[in-house]
């Protein structure tokens, strides 16, 4: 098994959330948290990560898991270029901000590379109001906005995928989920990604669910474990799972082009 360079690696650290927004792609929440074993097994297979994204559920409910990911990266000298996450803003976590400092120092770039955004759109606001969390949310936002890792607010600027709670919205507001393609290629010693003896490059995105499955990042929790369960890293390598479910590209330049195009298509819902 070769170590991987993964352009974008996402961890679903929990399937739990303290909100239940009407547009939530995850749908019914489950009190699942990613295990240390899954985190270690995933990171043991990786030498470099372009962007590491922490997803949920709500990441601030799983601070110890984020801490585990960061300490494992640092202890094992895994190269990471950027560390990002989006939180719902209803929970204020000093621990999270300290962890962002820690990973940012480790990345060691002149520019900030550990960033968080806060979800803010009409659906979130309705849910926060419904749960009487508005005052708490406003207080938190004031404090979070002061922090250097705060990147901005994240709303909806495109249609939503018809997954989870979003299935119950007006169908004009949603589009069917078209899963993201994954590509894999092998590079030699002269590649810019080569750190030792060549790596396998995977892109544009690998999402690891709480139970260790490689899955579709925007699917509901149910569909992640049923329809889009491509294999479990506790039993198979990331490389093998992607080889079975993705496309092997022999030319690394073509790989980059395809991976970039796929990321763009996915984010703009192009067919
Ligand atoms: S959209 Fe985000 S904040 Fe809202 S219920 Fe889903 S995971 Fe929680």
């Amino acid at each position: 098994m070769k170590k991987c360079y993964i352009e974008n690696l996402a961890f679903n650290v929990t399937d739990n959330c303290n909100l239940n927004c009407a547009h939530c792609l995850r749908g019914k929440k489950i009190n699942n948290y990613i295990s240390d074993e899954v985190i270690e097994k995933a990171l043991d297979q990786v030498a470099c990560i372009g962007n590491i994204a922490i997803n949920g559920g709500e990441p601030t409910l799983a601070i110890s898991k984020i801490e585990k990911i960061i300490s494992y990266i640092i202890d094992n000298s895994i190269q990471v270029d950027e560390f990002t996450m989006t939180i719902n803003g209803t929970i204020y976590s000093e621990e999270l901000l300290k962890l962002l400092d820690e990973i940012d120092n480790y990345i060691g770039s002149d520019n900030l590379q550990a960033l968080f955004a806060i979800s803010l759109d009409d659906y979130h606001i309705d849910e926060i109001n419904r749960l009487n969390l508005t005052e708490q949310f406003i207080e938190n936002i004031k404090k979070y906005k002061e922090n250097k890792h705060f990147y901005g607010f994240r709303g909806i600027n495109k249609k939503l995928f018809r997954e989870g709670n979003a299935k119950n919205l007006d169908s004009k507001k949603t589009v069917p989920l078209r899963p993201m393609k994954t590509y894999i290629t092998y590079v030699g010693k002269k590649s810019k990604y080569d750190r030792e003896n060549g790596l396998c490059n995977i892109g544009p995105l690998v999402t690891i669910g709480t139970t260790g499955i490689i899955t579709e990042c925007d699917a509901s929790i149910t569909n992640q474990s049923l329809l889009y369960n491509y294999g479990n890293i506790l039993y198979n390598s990331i490389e093998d799972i992607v080889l079975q479910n993705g496309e092997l590209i022999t030319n690394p330049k073509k790989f980059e082009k395809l991976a970039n195009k796929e990321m763009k298509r996915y984010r703009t819902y192009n067919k």
Side-chain angles (χ1 to χ4, degrees):
M1 180 187 82
K2 281 182 188 287
K3 289 247 183 180
C4 308
Y5 167 90
I6 301 184
E7 291 187 335
N8 296 281
L9 177 65
F11 280 107
N12 289 354
V13 287
T14 179
D15 294 324
N16 199 4
C17 185
N18 58 331
L19 306 185
N20 187 24
C21 308
H23 68 327
C24 182
L25 301 178
R26 293 285 183 254
K28 194 170 179 306
K29 309 300 174 300
I30 302 177
N31 201 20
N32 272 350
Y33 293 81
I34 197 167
S35 68
D36 289 357
E37 190 189 5
V38 168
I39 293 169
E40 289 174 12
K41 203 101 188 197
L43 292 175
D44 280 346
Q45 300 179 47
V46 175
C48 327
I49 305 164
N51 171 277
I52 182 159
I54 304 297
N55 291 340
E58 169 54 24
T60 54
L61 293 176
I63 293 294
S64 65
K65 303 302 178 183
I66 300 171
E67 188 175 9
K68 172 74 189 177
I69 291 169
I70 289 176
S71 63
Y72 207 78
I73 286 171
I74 295 173
D75 292 348
N76 292 283
S77 308
I78 297 167
Q79 184 181 326
V80 173
D81 296 338
E82 188 182 56
F83 188 96
T84 56
M85 73 177 75
T86 303
I87 60 175
N88 70 26
T90 58
I91 298 165
Y92 185 75
S93 173
E94 282 286 351
E95 292 98 320
L96 176 68
L97 301 175
K98 282 186 195 146
L99 287 169
L100 290 171
D101 280 341
E102 201 178 326
I103 187 70
D104 204 70
N105 287 339
Y106 170 74
I107 294 171
S109 163
D110 288 344
N111 302 319
L112 276 176
Q113 297 296 340
L115 302 164
F116 72 98
I118 296 178
S119 304
L120 193 66
D121 54 54
D122 290 349
Y123 298 106
H124 280 98
I125 291 169
D126 284 352
E127 178 65 356
I128 286 167
N129 288 340
R130 186 183 75 82
L131 295 172
N132 292 323
L133 293 170
T134 317
E135 265 182 46
Q136 181 65 57
F137 179 70
I138 292 169
E139 268 312 296
N140 293 349
I141 295 287
K142 278 187 202 154
K143 289 192 275 180
Y144 274 136
K145 275 177 77 176
E146 295 294 305
N147 187 273
K148 63 181 180 182
H149 300 288
F150 175 69
Y151 177 70
F153 295 102
R154 204 172 156 199
I156 306 167
N157 49 15
K158 299 284 172 191
K159 286 190 176 180
L160 292 153
F161 287 130
R162 208 165 289 147
E163 287 286 309
N165 296 351
K167 271 182 159 176
N168 302 322
L169 298 177
D170 179 343
S171 62
K172 288 188 195 122
K173 294 181 175 165
T174 60
V175 290
L177 175 63
R178 184 165 170 240
M180 187 183 273
K181 287 183 194 157
T182 314
Y183 299 102
I184 180 165
T185 193
Y186 291 88
V187 293
K189 288 187 179 177
K190 291 196 175 134
S191 162
K192 67 175 176 172
Y193 299 134
D194 180 51
R195 296 296 187 275
E196 281 174 332
N197 301 307
L199 294 170
C200 73
N201 287 6
I202 298 176
L205 170 70
V206 171
T207 297
I208 298 184
T210 50
T211 55
I213 56 171
I214 290 190
T215 188
E216 169 54 45
C217 70
D218 281 332
S220 68
I221 295 166
T222 311
N223 282 346
Q224 283 186 333
S225 45
L226 297 175
L227 280 179
Y228 306 116
N229 180 345
Y230 301 126
N232 194 310
I233 60 158
L234 294 178
Y235 314 112
N236 285 300
S237 67
I238 296 175
E239 180 188 2
D240 284 347
I241 294 170
V242 175
L243 276 173
Q244 275 166 26
N245 296 280
E247 193 178 333
L248 174 63
I249 308 293
T250 48
N251 178 343
K253 276 195 186 145
K254 193 174 168 204
F255 162 86
E256 286 210 31
K257 212 169 155 189
L258 286 170
N260 289 341
K261 197 172 158 201
E262 179 61 4
M263 188 56 124
K264 202 168 160 204
R265 177 200 69 78
Y266 193 79
R267 292 300 172 215
T268 52
Y269 313 104
N270 296 330
K271 293 287 173 192

